[in-house]
């Protein structure tokens, strides 16, 4: 079995022991069974059990292991080890723009607060019918590219507008979720949802920088969803 | 006063739309200006003066100036909103910006109609 | 110095925020009881998120279907080890809970008439086993993801109080055996808490990570099983583990059975559709245990693919690319990411991979935990409920049908929640006092871990456990390997009792968490090995070389001696057995029969 040594520079900070954060140089041997960055991180943790990072499904659906990999946000479990150039250290940092709890683990409170602020649930005040609410395949197709979000926060934490106003700008993930409910024919709260976003900060801090589209590990396009929300507001206003 | 995170001022769309519309106006004016210059309107002071004092051009320039100021108002205000947190100071800067922009617009008009 | 334990009081505490936990939480929050939901990970990161193919319900949207047929299939799938009262309950409730989910906003795929899209799935047949039926309600191949998010969203609406990144450590039981809550660790601060509650609901998921090759997430460490076992609750039917036929070879990532539901075919090295030989009727859509064994047989007989002949191929290249893009987009992503093939152009290498734990904490169909007592074999443990993969109702018996797990967590999550609400309404206002020794077990474990010198490495010990389980309790089981396996796993247990961590920080100490998880995993592993060694028959997912297919014991099943549930007790590492409930609630018993597809 062929092995290869990977060199890492990992952001380390344990408020219990460290006065300030530092980059740790550490390397690990991987073999051909280790395909993804997460495989290497698990091996690293076997070597030094104090490296802290989140992980769970290891197949890109739970959204736990988002981090900043060589300067770009992504999921460790979907990042190919083969994609790293030989000889250059792999630099791992926590997601930017959120407070660090420890090492690669960030405090996502603000991110989820914004997600919750758009009322991320179906609102339909009609008495529920006995059977399913009907929806044509075409209407259902409107939700594709929206409902698949895994809330990993790669997008929002790569967005300069979110870095600057994390308390006021909903951010790409939250806005994608907002449009997911606006686009759902079963939802009756479109007007309230648009009202909730009609504000110089909440929606309109998006300056179509499109970092969100660039980093989304699920290939979703929050900018497009944001554009559709804006278009609906214009349609409503004129 | 209690400290609250205040959002929900209902002018996001209006300003966003205004910025886009004023941008289109400014782009169109720039195009007109470029064509005029290419056709030699800037060759001498007299020709330049003739161009700018013509009725339609005067009106176009006026619309351009207003658009520019409006566009700048939204942009500069966003900068104050991003960087200046104390409400009093921010309000003062907003007012100063408005005074400056209105002043510029008035000045520009004065020049235009003096021609 | 003894660490401080802060006590917090709630009406109910739910441990786990996957499908079952969230469904129970909806019930409790909407009824107004003060409820805490503890979860190791943010709710939408729970492993329900990875379920792909669908949830079973006899809605009959595409063709005629009936809950009774579904019940028949489930009993047959369970190889008659499932309790028929619980199975009837689940199949009858299926339509109701799936429709509710749709009302919560779940983005199901749709048929042209606007109703929920349904696809065929392994073992689901019409008219009592005649031919495959479309029963699996699906949202593309991301059903679990869509479902988990829809239920989390409903909980946001209901204002459920979540404790995110809190790990429950031990069950609190008093002298009378009543459950009074759990102790828990706040991961971010390392501080200890006790959740004092009148109702404690476990929805902690399975322990699939005890095997080396598993489709399960890192978090599936059987925490509920470990906590229950340490508190004297037996674990039921732990010898039955489902090996999913189609895990990506090498990576272990799941490829849904829905792929075969949409027309995918398994092929050996000769390109042969070998399932035609093993299950002439259902073919590739036979029950999972049957397909997994067929695949391993093909590989063992030299018809595996690849340089080492150690996998078979799942072929969908004959499907229209449009169908793949529309119905199986996630699978295509997974195949490209983890197998390096685009399934539109080439078949996917797959092997049977540990997937689901049929056994668990014994419950009745109301979600109440039951243990053998003085009067009956199913006496209710007051204040204690369990639902989902960590529980054993038992609806899956010796083998679960695909799509019945998502149904299980909806039905029994709701039912556990409902029962808890009823019991809470009857309960006195005041909480029962906590016993003096309520935190002792937790403090002892933590103290041991923090002061251990020259101990065992957590990573290596876990690996030793996983390799032992894989080798000694895999798809096919051998009498001598099981015997050896019991000794080996008890050796590993000794190491687990002496794990040492280098990292002693209080802040988000993942090394400590992994060590505590290993404490739980080893209980599940020992229970599995001991129960499997003892069961001298082949049934469902448990197939032994010394119990082959004979005329008097078709498929190696021995109903005279082994039509019974195993109960493993941690104390003394001993086994008891209890009878299977063959009496449904309203219909006739589905009589014992040889299982063939």
């Amino acid at each position: 079995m062929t092995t290869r040594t990977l060199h890492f520079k990992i952001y380390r900070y344990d408020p219990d022991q460290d006065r300030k954060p530092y980059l740790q140089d550490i390397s690990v041997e991987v073999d051909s069974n280790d395909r993804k960055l997460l495989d290497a991180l698990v091996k690293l943790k076997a070597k030094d059990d104090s490296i802290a990072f989140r992980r769970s499904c290891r197949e890109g659906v739970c959204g736990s292991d988002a981090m900043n990999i060589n300067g770009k946000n992504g999921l460790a479990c979907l990042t190919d080890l083969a994609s790293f150039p030989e000889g250059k250290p792999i630099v791992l940092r926590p997601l930017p723009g959120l407070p660090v709890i420890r090492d690669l683990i960030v405090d996502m409170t603000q991110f989820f607060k914004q997600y919750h602020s758009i009322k991320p649930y179906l609102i339909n005040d009609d008495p529920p019918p006995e059977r399913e609410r009907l929806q044509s395949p075409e209407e259902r197709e409107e939700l594709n590219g929206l409902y698949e979000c895994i809330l990993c926060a790669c997008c929002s934490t790569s967005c300069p507008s979110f870095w600057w106003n994390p308390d006021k700008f909903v951010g790409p993930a939250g806005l994608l979720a907002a449009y997911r409910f606006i686009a759902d024919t079963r939802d009756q709260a479109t007007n309230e949802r648009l009202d909730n976003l009609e504000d110089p900060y909440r929606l309109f801090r998006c300056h179509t920088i499109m970092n969100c589209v660039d980093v989304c590990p699920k290939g979703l396009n929050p900018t497009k969803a944001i554009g559709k929300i804006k278009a609906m507001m214009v349609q409503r206003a004129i | 006063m209690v400290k609250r995170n205040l959002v929900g001022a209902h002018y996001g769309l209006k300003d966003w739309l205004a910025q886009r519309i004023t941008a289109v106006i400014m782009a169109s004016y720039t195009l007109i200006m470029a064509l005029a210059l290419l056709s030699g309107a800037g060759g001498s002071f007299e020709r330049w003066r003739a161009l700018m004092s013509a009725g339609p051009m005067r009106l176009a320039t006026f619309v351009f100036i207003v658009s520019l100021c409006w566009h700048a108002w939204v942009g500069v205000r966003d900068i104050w909103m991003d960087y200046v947190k104390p409400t009093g100071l921010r309000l003062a800067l907003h007012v100063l910006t408005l005074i400056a922009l209105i002043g510029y617009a008035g000045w520009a008009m004065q020049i235009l109609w003096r021609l | 110095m003894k660490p401080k334990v802060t006590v917090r009081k709630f009406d109910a505490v739910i441990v786990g925020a996957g499908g079952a936990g969230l469904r129970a939480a909806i019930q409790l929050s909407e009824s107004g009881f003060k409820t805490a939901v503890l979860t190791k990970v943010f709710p939408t990161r729970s492993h329900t998120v990875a379920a792909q193919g669908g949830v079973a319900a006899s809605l009959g949207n595409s063709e005629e279907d009936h809950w009774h047929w579904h019940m028949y299939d489930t009993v047959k799938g369970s190889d008659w080890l499932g309790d028929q009262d619980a199975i009837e309950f689940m199949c009858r409730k299926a339509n109701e809970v799936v429709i509710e989910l749709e009302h919560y906003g779940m983005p199901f795929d749709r048929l042209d008439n606007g109703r929920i899209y349904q696809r065929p799935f392994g073992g689901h047949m019409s008219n009592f086993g005649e031919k495959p039926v479309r029963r699996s309600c699906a949202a593309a191949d991301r059903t679990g993801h869509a479902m988990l998010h829809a239920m989390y969203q409903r909980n946001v609406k209901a204002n459920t109080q979540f404790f995110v990144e809190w790990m429950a450590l031990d069950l609190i039981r008093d002298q009378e055996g009543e459950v009074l809550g759990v102790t828990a660790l706040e991961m971010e601060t390392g501080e200890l808490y006790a959740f004092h509650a009148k109702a404690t609901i476990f929805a902690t998921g399975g322990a699939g990570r005890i095997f080396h090759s598993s489709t399960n997430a890192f978090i599936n460490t059987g925490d509920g099983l470990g906590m229950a076992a340490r508190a004297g609750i037996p674990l039921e039917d732990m010898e039955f583990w489902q090996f999913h036929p189609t895990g990506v070879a090498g990576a272990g990532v799941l490829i849904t059975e829905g792929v075969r539901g949409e027309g995918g075919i398994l092929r050996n090295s000769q390109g042969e559709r070998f399932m035609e030989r093993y299950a002439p009727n259902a073919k590739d859509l036979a029950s999972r245990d049957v397909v997994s064994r067929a695949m391993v047989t093909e590989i063992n007989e030299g018809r595996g693919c690849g340089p080492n002949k150690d996998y078979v191929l799942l072929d969908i290249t004959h499907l229209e690319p449009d169908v793949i893009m529309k119905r199986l987009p996630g699978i295509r992503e997974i195949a490209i990411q983890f197998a390096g093939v685009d399934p539109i152009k080439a078949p996917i290498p797959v092997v049977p991979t540990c997937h689901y734990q049929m056994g668990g904490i014994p419950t009745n169909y109301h979600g109440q935990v039951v243990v053998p007592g003085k009067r009956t074999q199913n006496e209710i443990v007051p204040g204690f409920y369990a639902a989902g993969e960590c529980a054993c109702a038992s609806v899956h018996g010796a083998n679960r049908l695909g799509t019945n797990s998502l149904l299980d967590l909806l039905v029994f999550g709701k039912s556990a929640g409902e029962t808890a609400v009823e019991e809470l309404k009857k309960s006195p206002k005041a909480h029962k006092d906590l016993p003096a020794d309520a935190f002792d077990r937790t403090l002892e474990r933590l103290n041991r871990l923090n002061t251990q010198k020259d101990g065992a490495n957590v990573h290596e010990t876990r690996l030793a456990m996983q390799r032992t389980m894989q080798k000694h309790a895999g798809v096919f089981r051998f009498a001598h390997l099981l015997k050896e396996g019991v000794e080996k796993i008890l050796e590993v247990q000794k190491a687990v009792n002496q794990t040492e961590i280098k990292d002693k920080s209080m802040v988000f100490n993942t090394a400590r968490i992994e060590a505590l998880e290993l404490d739980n995993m080893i209980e599940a592993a020992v229970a599995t090995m001991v129960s499997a060694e003892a069961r001298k028959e082949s049934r469902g997912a448990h197939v032994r070389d010394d119990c082959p297919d004979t005329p008097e014991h078709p498929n190696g099943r021995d109903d005279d001696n082994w039509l019974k549930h195993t109960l493993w007790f941690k104390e003394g590492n001993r086994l008891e057995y209890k009878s299977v409930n063959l009496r449904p609630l309203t219909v006739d018993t589905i009589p014992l029969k040889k299982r063939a597809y």
Side-chain angles (χ1 to χ4, degrees), chain C residues 102-218:
Chain C
E102 194 279 331
H103 293 164
Y104 293 165
M106 164 102 175
F108 280 112
D109 283 3
R110 300 290 171 153
L111 297 164
D112 285 337
N113 65 6
R115 298 209 176 275
I116 295 171
Y117 167 78
Q118 297 187 282
R119 62 159 63 108
F121 237 77
H124 290 280
M125 320 281 268
S126 69
N127 205 13
F128 305 102
E130 224 173 70
K131 60 175 200 320
V133 69
R134 280 166 278 185
R135 188 178 288 149
S136 164
C137 311
D141 52 2
R142 304 187 177 97
T143 312
H145 171 277
M147 181 189 264
L148 191 68
H149 280 254
M151 284 205 278
Y152 174 68
Q153 289 158 355
R154 183 69 178 196
N155 272 289
V156 171
K157 191 177 183 189
N159 252 325
T160 303
Q161 193 174 357
F162 287 103
F163 290 78
V164 176
E165 290 173 339
W166 288 58
M167 181 181 177
L169 298 179
D170 276 295
L171 205 55
I172 302 173
R173 271 183 105 181
D174 68 5
Q175 292 296 320
E176 288 94 62
E178 183 165 345
V179 169
L180 301 175
V182 289
T183 55
L185 176 80
E186 182 183 24
M187 286 154 66
E188 185 177 334
T189 61
E191 277 161 23
L192 282 178
Y193 287 80
F195 286 77
H196 188 186
K198 296 180 203 168
T200 303
I201 303 179
F202 271 16
T204 55
R209 276 275 154 182
I210 65 171
F211 285 86
H212 189 245
S213 164
S214 169
T215 65
N216 281 202
F218 282 103

Side-chain angles (χ1 to χ4, degrees), chain A residues 31-225:
Chain A
D31 56 46
S32 50
N33 285 333
D34 301 309
R35 295 158 208 236
K36 302 289 178 186
L37 174 58
L38 183 61
D39 299 329
L41 275 172
V42 169
K43 285 210 161 156
L44 267 177
K45 188 159 178 68
K47 201 169 156 181
D48 176 352
D49 70 6
S50 69
I51 300 175
F53 55 92
R54 293 186 175 106
R55 83 282 179 271
S56 180
C57 76
R58 60 85 175 87
E59 58 186 69
V61 290
C62 80
S64 296
D65 62 351
M67 55 186 71
N68 188 268
I69 305 156
N70 281 343
K72 189 174 168 184
N73 290 352
L75 298 181
C77 61
L78 292 185
T79 303
D80 277 318
L81 286 176
S83 71
F84 295 118
E86 292 279 345
K88 260 195 172 165
I90 301 161
V91 184
L92 301 182
R93 293 173 187 272
L95 289 177
L98 294 176
V100 175
I101 295 174
R102 178 177 170 176
D103 299 347
L104 300 174
I105 297 176
V106 291
D107 180 352
M108 297 181 73
T109 310
Q110 197 62 60
F111 172 77
F112 287 121
K113 218 174 185 170
Q114 291 297 358
Y115 173 68
H116 292 153
S117 79
I118 59 100
K119 299 198 173 165
Y121 42 81
L122 193 85
I123 297 175
N124 185 320
D125 293 330
D126 288 343
E130 269 182 40
R131 290 293 304 258
E132 62 265 54
R133 294 198 166 97
L134 299 181
Q135 194 171 46
S136 72
E138 295 71 36
E139 290 168 339
R140 165 60 183 78
E141 223 152 85
E142 290 293 321
L143 306 182
N144 287 348
L146 305 171
Y147 81 97
E148 300 94 324
C149 172
I150 57 173
L151 299 176
C152 65
C154 279
C155 59
S156 291
T157 60
S158 69
C159 172
S161 294
F162 189 77
W163 294 338
W164 214 245
N165 289 298
D167 53 341
K168 292 179 177 168
F169 175 49
V170 173
L175 291 169
L176 186 83
Y179 187 63
R180 178 248 173 273
F181 289 100
I182 291 171
D184 196 322
T185 50
R186 299 168 295 174
D187 190 90
Q188 297 175 326
T190 303
N191 264 321
E192 291 88 319
R193 292 184 191 282
L194 293 180
D195 284 346
N196 177 280
L197 297 172
E198 160 61 312
D199 172 271
Y201 286 104
R202 287 180 58 69
L203 171 72
F204 289 99
R205 266 303 184 268
C206 168
H207 298 307
T208 46
I209 300 163
M210 293 178 79
N211 281 2
C212 53
V213 183
D214 189 38
V215 299
C216 178
K218 304 307 282 182
L220 308 179
N221 190 333
T223 307
K224 199 169 144 195

Side-chain angles (χ1 to χ4, degrees), chain B residues 7 9 24 29 37 52 68 72 77 87 111:
Chain B
V7 285
V24 171
Y29 182 81
L37 288 176
M52 295 309 283
L68 178 68
R77 191 202 59 202
T87 312
I111 295 169

Side-chain angles (χ1 to χ4, degrees), chain C residues 361-412:
Chain C
I361 301 167
T363 69
N364 58 23
Y365 66 84
H366 301 293
Q368 295 164 304
V369 175
V370 291
V371 294
K374 289 194 183 76
R375 277 158 289 136
T376 68
Q377 59 175 10
N378 288 313
E379 276 184 21
I380 291 163
V381 180
F384 194 24
Y385 307 80
E389 191 172 342
C390 77
C392 182
S394 139
V395 282
H396 309 306
N399 172 67
R400 172 173 74 78
L401 294 188
T403 68
N404 266 356
S405 60
L406 290 186
L407 179 59
D408 170 355
L409 55 84
L410 287 178
V411 169
F412 294 105

Side-chain angles (χ1 to χ4, degrees), chain A residues 110 114 164-165 167-168 195-196 198-202 204-208 230-231 233-234 237-238, chain B residues 5-17 19-20 77-85 90:
Chain A
Q110 197 62 60
Q114 291 297 358
W164 214 245
N165 289 298
D167 53 341
K168 292 179 177 168
D195 284 346
N196 177 280
E198 160 61 312
D199 172 271
Y201 286 104
R202 287 180 58 69
F204 289 99
R205 266 303 184 268
C206 168
H207 298 307
T208 46
K230 286 174 179 167
M233 281 190 178
V234 173
I238 58 176
Chain B
N5 196 0
L6 296 170
V7 285
H10 283 264
Y11 62 82
L13 174 69
K14 205 181 74 201
D15 284 1
W16 178 80
L17 207 54
Q19 248 189 345
R20 262 111 208 111
R77 191 202 59 202
D78 275 8
I79 295 173
W80 298 142
M81 284 165 88
D82 278 347
Y83 291 87
V84 182
K85 299 294 173 187
R90 192 191 285 177

Side-chain angles (χ1 to χ4, degrees), chain C residues 13 57 138 145 152 359 440 480 493 514 589:
Chain C
V13 54
H145 171 277
Y152 174 68
D440 287 9
H480 70 284
Q493 189 173 34
E514 286 187 22
T589 295

